[in-house]
């Protein structure tokens, strides 16, 4: 669990969109394994399916890389 959190933090710091999808797949499995987090698993599944199948390439790119915003400006 600790390694997953370090991976998520590193992905966020680097702004790596492809690793975000990989992390989403891992989180999907983790959320699915618990009974209290089924709705989060469903949200992860929807995100992955939209990015990989439903969205156009441009919209998928905006969705993935639009998550990384530098609010501090540094």
């Amino acid at each position: 669990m600790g390694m997953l959190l370090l991976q998520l933090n590193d992905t966020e710091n680097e702004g790596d969109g492809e690793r975000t999808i990989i992390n989403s797949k891992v989180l999907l499995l983790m959320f699915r394994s618990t009974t209290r987090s089924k709705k989060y698993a469903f949200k992860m599944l929807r995100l992955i399916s939209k990015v990989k199948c439903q969205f156009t390439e441009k919209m998928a790119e905006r969705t993935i890389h639009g998550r990384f915003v530098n609010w501090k400006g540094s």
Side-chain angles (χ1 to χ4, degrees):
M1 185 68 157
M3 289 300 290
L4 178 62
L5 291 175
L6 289 173
Q7 178 75 7
L8 290 171
N9 284 336
D10 188 45
T11 302
E12 181 183 341
N13 289 337
E14 291 181 6
D16 190 1
E18 292 302 317
R19 253 185 8 185
T20 301
I21 297 299
I22 294 169
N23 292 339
S24 296
K25 291 177 184 179
V26 173
L27 287 172
L28 171 69
L29 293 174
M30 190 178 78
F31 290 148
R32 181 71 176 109
S33 66
T34 62
T35 57
R36 295 176 56 179
S37 302
K38 302 274 186 201
K39 64 181 176 182
Y40 299 119
F42 180 69
K43 294 285 185 182
M44 286 290 129
L45 181 65
R46 282 185 59 204
L47 173 70
I48 295 167
S49 67
K50 283 184 179 185
V51 167
K52 294 291 185 181
C53 302
Q54 295 175 347
F55 286 159
T56 61
E57 286 185 30
K58 186 176 181 180
M59 192 64 190
E61 193 73 23
R62 283 184 181 178
T63 302
I64 292 172
H65 293 289
R67 296 170 163 244
F68 306 109
V69 177
N70 185 359
W71 293 104
K72 296 178 183 176
S74 57

